Amino acid sequence: GDAGLDGAPAGLLAVQRQPGADTVALTRAIERATEEAAARLPAGAFIRGDLFRQSDFIDRAVANVVESLRDGSLLVALVLILFLLNLRTTAITLVAIPLSLLTTLGVFGLLGLGINTLTLGGLAVAIGELVDDAIVDVENVFRRLRENRQSASPRPAAEVVVAASREVRGSIVIAPGLVVLAFLPLLALEGVEGRLFAPLGLAYIAAILLSLLVSLTVTPALCALLLPGLRRLDHPDPGPLVRFVQSLQGRVLEAAKSRPAWSAAGVLALLAAAGWGATRLGREFLPSLNEGAYTVFLNAAPGTSLAESSRIGRQAEALLREVPEVRSVARLTGRAENDEHVLEANVSELEFTLAPSGRSRAEVDADIRARLATLPGIAVGLGQPLSHRIDHVLSGVQAQNAIKVFGDDLPALREAAARVGDVLRSTPGMVDVQVEAVTELPQVHVRVDPVRYAAAGHNPADVARQAETALRGRVLGSLFRQGRSHDLVLTLDGEARADLAAMAELPVASPRGIVPLGAVAALEIAAGPNLIQRENGLRRIVVSANAAGRDLVGAVDDARARLAAGPPLPPGVHLAIDGQYASQAEARLRLAALAALAVGGVRLLLRVHFGSWRLAAQVLLNLPLALIGAVLGAWVAGGGVLSLATLVGCITLAGIASRNGILMVGHYLHLMRHEGERFDWQMVRRGSRERSVPVLMTAVTAALALLPLVLGGDQPGREILHPVAVVIFFGLLSSTLLDLVVTPLVFWHFGRPAVAKLVPQALQNPN
């Protein structure tokens, strides 16, 4: 092979870490070793250790996720101060965040789990929900203490705190259980998606469960210690923001009650629009990563010499250095047979990093592709180091999509593959189209004559073996010299192998003597394939491509339709689509099945909690209400694309959105069971007013904590989290706003049978 750096000759060294090794620590150790080696180099030689370091991407990703955690915590604190208007209540609530996070990290340490962008991402998604249970508890304790202070016969403060905490205990326990149950499908994902989302789900679940533990122990204790002496308890005014929320919710609820048909029609119209919008979303496997580094493969025609490939590679280096964002370009042309990743002499691999600029990544990609397209007869594949490896794991090729052409007849395979390549090139959104090069090259064919070799007493296997030794060589042993091993190879010299007449005179031994090879076999120079690839026992040629400027699934479906509309494939040839297209379909079906099981589990848990299937179904109405915002978010902030990360966000949203309905319906039942309320509109209005503030606070804190991830989706480390955050953010907004109206009305119109079963005294006429 041949290597270069910015147009000058160089030697490239790639270091692979062992499984389980710390990439960042290993990088630091390599830097120290290279610094020591550089001091001993001759004059004019130097070492560049910053061409590509995966630790750079890891450091940036971790820093960005930590920044999201910090900003999300600050936004949560701001919301709490605005609603509670008291530093003590805010402090009690915020204690849940550091305690939950530190305890989660401690549990991870005990289990031997690493802290990375995915586990930190799970904490970033959960950050706003860590205070939800504490919010419900603190708000209810504070409200009950204020009511007790205004009462004509106040009870002891400690007794009020215990009673207030017990009042919401059921809702506090059941809500995190639903969230965890909805998140469990992530732990069952397999393949690449499992490696990405399982750590995120594990961190999320651990943080939520530990926040529940804090809310059941630390929060009530702090309430009993810090709240009874507050002067603010003497003021019945809850504050301007709380008054505004309760007043607005009451007015909207009364307006919706007076026009039930219009209200139902409006909600159904929103649901229909969301369903229609969901079917129009593009689809992809995973969000595109922003690694800040690129890998480019240049494929010349098979048989291209190493010198010519190096010349083409140097031209590509020069073109890339003209791109303003591109830093140093490293090139490797061909790789030796003993390399872990063998490359033929006609293939060049270029690695380079990008400096920040005002241009978007799509603009930079288009610029790079346009410059490299000026290289005649060269197939170009543009990608990123980690993304390339993910694609290679999925399909065996370093591209997002792979259409594999199977068959027995090589000419028919080449014809079909060429047609597939032409269709992909004509499909909008398909770029970097490459057809696996299978061409005819001059070869020496030795055809053994069965009659002649039988007459000479030869075994055809012996003839073939001796001919192979002469023409291709056979390793006889090894020679050790100066600590290095050299193979001893027996073969004809170069001149003899180039002369067909000389090869025909090759002596072939047999039991009846030695005869020339030409006496028992016919030798000729004929064309033969340079490469035959097989998969599952079948010959195949791969056509690979990436998607740009369009969703991946839409581009592949368009290409499939164009292929189906064209001439039929040759007999015996069939196609199989692999790569991200196939992976997203399999993962989506698996996730949908797991999500259905999770929703069934959520409904069963709600039935156990409330003792009524009817009330469980009413709480689950929050799921379609959340879908409205989720689809809107996918269009507005998610690029109009539905990825696996988007589906993960929807599953997470299912558990979070159910919390609102639990708080509402649970409080209605409490008022009727313990405070003498009857099943009437007055009770529904009171329960909705008293629960409107904690419902809104929990939703707003959970949503705003995700705002850094929603706004910074193109930053390293946030790419996978961005679609998750977008769906939860917009879904919580829609489900919360609609829940404050829909849940009370649904309970009023359809809750009577459940009330008759659970609280029959609430339906009796007063004495």
Side-chain angles (χ1 to χ4, degrees):
D2 178 55
L5 174 64
D6 292 335
L12 298 183
L13 175 65
V15 180
Q16 304 286 338
R17 72 174 179 87
Q18 293 290 338
D22 187 324
T23 302
V24 176
L26 177 61
T27 301
R28 302 293 180 261
I30 293 172
E31 288 175 347
R32 291 191 296 270
T34 53
E35 288 174 1
E36 295 174 1
R40 299 190 298 268
L41 292 176
F46 62 93
I47 296 177
R48 286 282 304 276
D50 60 345
L51 298 179
F52 170 70
R53 294 182 300 196
Q54 194 176 49
S55 63
D56 292 342
F57 172 66
I58 294 173
D59 289 338
R60 289 196 305 271
V62 170
N64 285 328
V65 176
V66 170
E67 181 181 320
S68 299
L69 277 166
R70 181 202 65 196
D71 295 345
S73 300
L74 293 176
L75 289 171
V76 169
L78 178 61
V79 171
L80 294 176
I81 291 174
L82 290 176
F83 272 96
L84 300 176
L85 293 178
N86 186 271
L87 292 179
R88 290 192 187 184
T89 53
T90 301
I92 294 172
T93 308
L94 285 177
V95 162
I97 292 180
L99 281 180
S100 301
L101 293 180
L102 292 175
T103 310
T104 302
L105 297 178
V107 170
F108 270 45
L110 292 175
L111 297 177
L113 301 176
I115 304 301
N116 51 45
T117 55
L118 298 172
T119 51
L120 289 175
L123 299 181
V125 173
I127 191 72
E129 300 162 55
L130 299 182
V131 296
D132 283 358
D133 297 331
I135 285 174
V136 175
D137 199 4
V138 171
E139 190 276 338
N140 200 59
V141 169
F142 186 81
R143 182 170 57 86
R144 292 303 190 189
L145 284 173
R146 186 169 52 200
E147 293 174 356
N148 185 64
R149 183 73 63 86
Q150 305 299 322
S151 173
S153 55
R155 295 180 295 164
E159 181 182 329
V160 174
V161 171
V162 171
S165 295
R166 187 182 295 116
E167 178 183 335
V168 295
R169 185 62 47 85
S171 299
I172 286 179
V173 173
I174 190 67
L178 296 180
V179 173
V180 170
L181 189 59
F183 227 95
L184 284 178
L186 297 191
L187 304 184
L189 289 176
E190 301 175 350
V192 172
E193 60 273 22
R195 297 296 298 271
L196 289 174
F197 291 112
L200 185 149
L202 189 60
Y204 181 93
I205 290 173
I208 293 298
L209 291 179
L210 291 169
S211 72
L212 171 62
L213 180 62
V214 171
S215 69
L216 294 177
T217 55
V218 177
T219 302
L222 290 177
C223 287
L225 182 64
L226 300 177
L227 296 187
L230 278 178
R231 294 181 180 179
R232 185 167 176 76
L233 296 176
D234 296 325
H235 302 283
D237 184 9
L241 183 57
V242 173
R243 286 201 315 272
F244 172 77
V245 168
Q246 292 179 338
S247 174
L248 180 62
Q249 191 265 348
R251 291 198 302 270
V252 173
L253 185 58
E254 289 292 344
K257 177 179 179 294
S258 62
R259 299 175 179 84
W262 283 101
S263 301
V267 173
L268 292 176
L270 290 175
L271 288 173
W276 179 85
T279 62
R280 298 299 186 272
L281 287 169
R283 286 175 289 161
E284 62 184 11
F285 181 50
L286 293 172
S288 179
L289 300 178
N290 182 15
E291 302 178 42
Y294 278 78
T295 300
V296 174
F297 285 94
L298 305 177
N299 289 272
T304 302
S305 67
L306 180 62
E308 178 62 14
S309 292
S310 297
R311 185 189 66 80
I312 296 170
R314 289 191 294 271
Q315 285 184 336
E317 288 183 62
L319 291 172
L320 288 173
R321 290 198 302 272
E322 295 174 0
V323 179
E325 293 83 357
V326 172
R327 294 172 176 169
S328 295
V329 181
R331 173 186 55 83
L332 188 63
T333 301
R335 291 194 184 185
E337 294 181 359
N338 290 332
D339 194 286
E340 291 182 353
H341 304 284
V342 180
L343 293 180
E344 297 180 357
N346 62 303
V347 180
S348 291
E349 179 183 355
L350 294 91
E351 301 265 2
F352 56 93
T353 56
L354 299 181
S357 74
R359 294 199 297 177
S360 68
R361 186 184 151 198
E363 292 173 328
V364 175
D365 288 356
D367 189 4
I368 293 173
R369 288 190 172 102
R371 293 177 189 273
L372 295 181
T374 60
L375 297 173
I378 303 299
V380 178
L382 177 64
Q384 301 178 91
L386 180 58
S387 302
H388 261 321
R389 285 160 177 78
I390 291 175
D391 293 331
H392 197 270
V393 168
L394 294 177
S395 64
V397 301
Q398 292 172 322
Q400 292 177 336
N401 301 298
I403 297 182
K404 298 180 178 179
V405 186
F406 292 95
D408 294 324
D409 184 25
L410 279 177
L413 272 181
R414 288 198 299 269
E415 175 192 344
R419 187 191 308 169
V420 171
D422 292 338
V423 169
L424 291 182
R425 292 186 187 95
S426 66
T427 302
M430 284 295 190
V431 295
D432 304 335
V433 178
Q434 297 189 51
V435 180
E436 197 170 40
V438 179
T439 60
E440 300 287 342
L441 295 178
Q443 298 176 346
V444 176
H445 287 189
V446 180
R447 304 184 186 279
V448 181
D449 188 307
V451 176
R452 285 190 285 176
Y453 77 66
H458 282 70
N459 185 302
D462 293 335
V463 175
R465 183 167 50 254
Q466 294 181 57
E468 181 182 15
T469 299
L471 301 179
R472 295 189 57 187
R474 180 164 55 123
V475 177
L476 301 179
S478 298
L479 175 66
F480 290 90
R481 179 179 296 171
Q482 296 179 349
R484 301 185 64 181
S485 174
H486 304 271
D487 289 337
L488 294 177
V489 180
L490 174 65
T491 184
L492 287 178
D493 61 26
E495 293 182 3
R497 280 180 292 166
D499 185 350
L500 201 62
M503 284 187 281
E505 295 300 322
L506 174 71
V508 177
S510 75
R512 299 182 184 179
I514 297 176
V515 298
L517 178 62
V520 294
L523 282 74
E524 61 178 353
I525 302 293
N530 69 306
L531 181 71
I532 298 178
Q533 297 279 23
R534 291 182 178 272
E535 188 172 322
N536 296 326
L538 298 175
R539 290 178 174 178
R540 62 105 168 125
I541 297 177
V542 174
V543 185
S544 60
N546 293 321
R550 185 180 182 186
D551 70 286
L552 181 146
V553 174
V556 176
D557 284 342
D558 190 358
R560 293 179 65 183
R562 292 168 183 252
L563 283 170
L569 294 173
V573 175
H574 68 277
L575 306 180
I577 299 180
D578 206 345
Q580 292 194 21
Y581 180 89
S583 297
Q584 68 84 29
E586 294 174 4
R588 188 160 46 89
L589 290 175
R590 187 182 305 113
L591 200 56
L594 293 171
L597 291 175
V599 171
V602 167
R603 189 182 180 192
L604 179 61
L605 191 59
L606 289 171
R607 165 63 178 81
V608 173
H609 175 66
F610 288 119
S612 167
W613 287 109
R614 181 181 292 266
L615 295 184
Q618 289 184 29
V619 172
L620 288 178
L621 283 177
N622 282 275
L623 303 189
L625 300 182
L627 176 66
I628 297 172
V631 174
L632 177 64
W635 278 107
V636 172
V641 176
L642 179 69
S643 68
L644 193 61
T646 311
L647 296 178
V648 169
C650 291
I651 291 176
T652 310
L653 182 62
I656 300 173
S658 301
R659 179 191 298 268
N660 296 341
I662 293 172
L663 291 175
M664 282 283 194
V665 175
H667 194 53
Y668 297 150
L669 295 177
H670 171 81
L671 292 177
M672 291 183 288
R673 282 171 174 161
H674 302 289
E675 300 195 22
E677 291 282 358
R678 299 179 61 248
F679 181 74
D680 54 19
W681 182 244
Q682 182 64 31
M683 181 276 299
V684 174
R685 283 194 57 187
R686 177 191 170 185
S688 303
R689 183 181 69 255
E690 292 178 352
R691 278 290 171 261
S692 60
V693 172
V695 164
L696 194 60
M697 286 177 65
T698 55
V700 171
T701 53
L704 288 185
L706 297 172
L707 198 57
L709 297 177
V710 173
L711 300 179
D714 59 342
Q715 298 297 316
R718 298 179 182 178
E719 313 98 313
I720 300 294
L721 303 175
H722 173 70
V724 179
V726 164
V727 168
I728 298 175
F729 181 86
F730 285 90
L732 273 178
L733 293 182
S734 69
S735 66
T736 302
L737 295 177
L738 292 172
D739 178 67
L740 291 173
V741 176
V742 173
T743 296
L745 291 178
V746 170
F747 187 82
W748 169 242
H749 287 288
F750 302 102
R752 181 176 291 271
V755 172
K757 174 184 176 183
L758 301 175
V759 199
Q761 66 271 19
L763 298 177
Q764 298 174 0
N765 294 325
N767 294 328

